[in-house]
Amino acid sequence: MTYQSINPYDGKLLQSFDDLTEESLETKIATAAACFESWRQTTFAQRAAIAAKAAAIMRARADEFARPVTLEMGKRIAEARGEVALSADIIDYYAQNAERFLAPERLHPSSGEAEIESTPLGVLFGVQPWNFPYYQLARFAAPNLMAGNVVMVKHAGNVPQCAIAFEELWLEAGAPKGAYTNLLISHDQVNRVIDDPRIKGVALTGSVEAGKSVAARAGQNLKKSTMELGGSDAFIVLDDADLEKTVEWAVWAKMNNTGQCCVAGKRYIVVEELADRFLDKFRTALAKLEPGDPMDEATTLGPLSTEGALVNLLDQVDRAVGDCATVVMGGKRIDRPGSFMQPTILADIAPDSAAFREEFFGPVALFFRVKDEDEAVALANDSAFGLGGSVFTGDVARGKRVASRIDTGTMFVNHPTWTTPDLPFGGVKDSGYGRELSNMGIQEFVNKKLVRVEAIDAPA
């Protein structure tokens, strides 16, 4: 069965859901296509009223929305509430700014008049992951609904209650049926949706392999797509960094959402002068994290999202050790019920090992010591991924220079990579293409249509 809520804290099955039949899927696509024809005619003010209400509902019932996040994928309850608030902020952001972002752009041709209109494409299809069950949906749905598109979403199989709750949110806020549609469909049915001529664009956040498959299918159908495919972000520590504060952020960058974040700190690249002291403080701080019930506010270490995620990560660590990596700390399952893993630091990772190239999606930090800034930059860029990264230094100008040399979609100076509604999010290389959030996010799935006015007697 594709959709199951299994609590990773204790392994108990909470609820199962059947996949849609082909008949039900066809009905939903037809409903979305019909909805688009009317939704595209609504004004920005009408759409904004619905979006603002959706955001207000999320804020007013934050605990109600946060609870299934914690129960289905193990996010600590305080972080789950934070995700609800961030999702509401994103929805509000586009409610308030979409009309300005998509206002006609006046051009200045040599004669006559011209402007660029931004018009919606139609029904969009999103394939979304489990690690931020509402945020991922909000950053896809909010800009595109405000642009006049309608959206259909296949969410991850382990967070069906979150997926259903988000669809019900839009209906409660007053969106017409078909504006936002949750699809409980199988992986095979994904291709059926992408192939459907009523679908005009495709967005995916997920693994590289999933991205290759979905992007290829969209390409075969000549459909615009965006891909956010994870990363192996460098957390660079230069010799003049404030060590105490940097270590605090290093722990946050690694352990937010138990490390299950596309822009989590994954490769810790530290100059030789600070390497030993950083490693000692980093290890000491990670060792203080205590596993427990993620519904308990006192818990500082939650479980991984699923048993399968834990098994895969443990296998990655074992293979890395087999390739001569050193386990500085952790590396094992925690001996207790649930899908818990020890916070882990691996060092001495050889460039020819798989671990050097892979993304570790969980509480595993890869530690590298380098001789200087140039070597740090070279190592940071020696990756197939290019999503985010950060650099810590006492000299902001130096930090900005280093940031400019790193091949990623995002670089932060003296802060771990994170996200807000008004900052663009997306990557390069195997981390994908396209941008979400900010003014850039709402431009991805609109037609930039030139409207030209010229005197009828003007020469061609």
Side-chain angles (χ1 to χ4, degrees), residues 347-363:
D348 305 315
I349 299 130
D352 60 351
S353 70
F356 192 88
R357 303 294 169 191
E358 293 175 338
E359 176 181 24
F360 283 74
F361 210 66

Side-chain angles (χ1 to χ4, degrees), residues 74 115 330 399 427:
E115 68 178 19

Side-chain angles (χ1 to χ4, degrees), residues 69-117:
V69 175
T70 299
L71 292 177
E72 288 194 304
M73 56 77 56
K75 192 188 301 282
R76 293 187 299 122
I77 189 63
E79 292 180 336
R81 291 193 197 102
E83 181 183 339
V84 172
L86 175 59
S87 301
D89 288 347
I90 291 168
I91 297 170
D92 256 343
Y93 175 77
Y94 285 107
Q96 295 165 10
N97 293 290
E99 184 171 13
R100 175 170 62 89
F101 290 158
L102 297 180
E105 179 187 354
R106 191 76 175 270
L107 303 181
H108 303 283
S110 58
S111 64
E113 302 173 9
E115 68 178 19
I116 301 294
E117 293 182 354

